[in-house]
Each structure stands twice: as structure tokens, then as C-alpha cells.
Amino acid sequence: RDKYFPNNPNLIVMGLVDHISLLNSEGGLDQRQTIGRFSSEYCLKLRDKYKCLMVLVQQQALASEQQQFTNSGKSILEKLKPSPDGLANNKEVSRDVNLMIGLFNPSKFGFSTYKQSGISSGYDLDRLRDNHRELLILLNRDGISNAAIDLYFNGASAYFAELPKPDEISEIDYIEIEKLRSSAI
């Protein structure tokens, strides 16, 4: 068929692969080639011909999660963040996407405070602990790329909410976050 017309034009069919590195090898291909074929052939056909929304979860390469340090011993934070260059198994899938987002957990690397570049103040990670995530828009064919937003994250309930800006967060906000954390336990 040349065209696909859904019975309900408001219906969005979404395919979710979590995560792409778990695909079984196909037809004598290695893992990198299998991921490439799946992304470039199957997912693009589902997107372009059948208007399906394909969501592929892909982890960062382990090497890109290793801390790097300056000559003075300070960690280079930007090198730890998710990036298209840091994709595990097959970086070329970044050429196929309409939107690539990443989630960054700075508390994983032992930072006491966290601030995005260009912002004067930061979040108290000693208080937020593992409840802080930064959502990064890495690539976007249809809008802004290289944007970020800080989120409150509760893994026990898969709950995300936008955090106030670091210079706007108050003692009361931190107390509320601590209440949310303790109510999820």
C-alpha cells in the first residue's frame, strides 16, 4: 500500500522498545547492525508510512558515564551528561530520530550542588538526593534542541514534576520535597 489512513485520525499508535540493546540479532548481523537495521528500516517505515510514534530507549555507553577531571582535580560535569555521542551500541540511530531526550542524575556522581550552565545558583543535592533529574532535549527536528529543565523525580511512583528555579526554591519547597519522599516509602 502507498498510504495508510487510520479509522480514527486522532489515534496515535505508539511503539515502545525498552531498551534497544536487548534486541535479538537478526540474520547474521551483530548487535550494532541489528540496532541500525531496526532503527533505519523498521522504525522509519512505521513512522513515515504508518504514522506510528516510535519510542526507543537506549542507554549511554559505560565509558561516557565515567567522571573526567580537570588538571586541578575538579569533575567535568558536562562530560557526564547524556549526548548523542555517548549512545551505547550504535550512535548512528541518532540520525533517525525526530526527538532525542536524555535524563541526567547528577547525584549519582556525588555532587553536593547542581546548576545548569549559565545559571548563577544551584540545587542542594544533599537535600534532594536521588529525587533530582535534569531532562535534556538533545536533538529535535521540529523545535528547540540543547534545552534543559530540572525535575523532581520519585522513582517509587514514576512521578516527575518541574522544580522551581534554583534561585526561587525555598526552605519550604525542600521540606515539601522531603515530605513527598517520605510518603513514598
Side-chain angles (χ1 to χ4, degrees):
R1 294 185 174 181
D2 293 71
K3 293 274 186 192
Y4 167 72
F5 299 100
N7 288 335
N8 180 351
N10 296 321
L11 178 70
I12 297 174
V13 176
M14 183 169 69
L16 175 64
V17 178
D18 184 9
H19 64 87
I20 197 166
S21 297
L22 295 176
L23 291 175
N24 290 325
S25 295
E26 179 181 343
L29 301 177
D30 63 21
Q31 186 181 43
R32 187 183 96 30
Q33 293 167 327
T34 298
I35 290 170
R37 175 183 277 178
F38 182 77
S39 175
S40 296
E41 291 181 28
Y42 304 139
C43 290
L44 290 183
K45 185 174 185 177
L46 287 167
R47 180 194 72 189
D48 297 340
K49 186 171 183 176
Y50 298 106
K51 308 300 181 214
C52 292
L53 173 65
M54 297 303 297
V55 177
L56 306 179
V57 176
Q58 186 171 0
Q59 296 179 348
Q60 290 289 107
L62 292 176
S64 69
E65 291 187 355
Q66 293 177 353
Q67 288 195 50
Q68 297 182 32
F69 300 92
T70 64
N71 290 339
S72 63
K74 292 184 179 177
S75 180
I76 303 172
L77 182 66
E78 293 302 315
K79 299 267 185 187
L80 298 171
K81 291 184 178 186
S83 70
D85 293 340
L87 290 175
N89 307 106
N90 188 332
K91 296 168 185 24
E92 295 167 359
V93 298
S94 65
R95 299 176 187 163
D96 301 331
V97 303
N98 282 39
L99 176 66
M100 179 185 291
I101 61 173
L103 278 175
F104 179 57
N105 178 5
S107 69
K108 176 179 177 180
F109 301 100
F111 294 106
S112 294
T113 60
Y114 178 73
K115 64 181 180 179
Q116 294 179 21
S117 56
I119 296 178
S120 59
S121 61
Y123 293 100
D124 183 349
L125 293 183
D126 290 335
R127 293 191 76 180
L128 287 171
R129 293 187 278 191
D130 196 37
N131 296 111
H132 174 272
R133 294 293 187 276
E134 182 182 36
L135 178 100
L136 303 141
I137 300 174
L138 303 170
L139 299 170
N140 187 358
R141 288 185 184 194
D142 304 312
I144 293 175
S145 292
N146 300 318
I149 188 169
D150 291 287
L151 302 172
Y152 169 79
F153 167 66
N154 186 327
S157 60
Y159 174 78
F160 288 90
E162 184 177 356
L163 283 170
K165 299 284 183 219
D167 55 349
E168 296 171 1
I169 197 164
S170 67
E171 182 67 23
I172 293 170
D173 292 324
Y174 281 115
I175 292 169
E176 289 299 316
I177 289 168
E178 289 168 6
K179 284 182 187 176
L180 284 171
R181 183 185 307 114
S182 61
S183 69
I185 295 175

